[in-house]
Amino acid sequence: TSTSSVGSNPEINYSDGNSIEVSNSSINMTTSGASVEMTGGNINMSGTVMVTGSVSVTGEVTATGIPLSTHLHTGVTSGAQNTGTPTV
């Protein structure tokens, strides 16, 4: 493990190729197939979240107040028609 600074940005480099770099606007974690785990009471993010790969969730997923697992749709008809928008 080695620690260095690029300008005022600290960087930790591990012998297996993993690294962590901290700047004023970001934290970059590079892993060679390892997992990144964040634990705590609540983890809050602001901004756009981009995911490449699958997302698995234990618990409810809610978007703009509409729960994924129990939401209903208006305008449901049989056949090849589309439903209406989700409701709470």
Side-chain angles (χ1 to χ4, degrees):
T1 305
S2 66
T3 304
S4 63
S5 291
V6 179
S8 62
N9 300 333
E11 185 173 333
I12 301 170
N13 295 293
Y14 297 91
S15 59
D16 60 2
N18 297 330
S19 66
I20 301 172
E21 181 182 352
V22 179
S23 72
N24 290 337
S25 61
S26 66
I27 299 172
N28 296 314
M29 294 180 282
T30 303
T31 68
S32 55
S35 296
V36 175
E37 183 175 330
M38 298 186 306
T39 59
N42 292 310
I43 298 171
N44 299 305
M45 297 182 189
S46 296
T48 301
V49 177
M50 307 287 287
V51 176
T52 301
S54 299
V55 175
S56 297
V57 177
T58 57
E60 183 62 77
V61 175
T62 304
T64 60
I66 300 171
L68 179 62
S69 66
T70 60
H71 73 276
L72 303 174
H73 286 262
T74 60
V76 177
T77 57
S78 62
Q81 300 297 315
N82 292 327
T83 65
T85 59
T87 63
V88 176

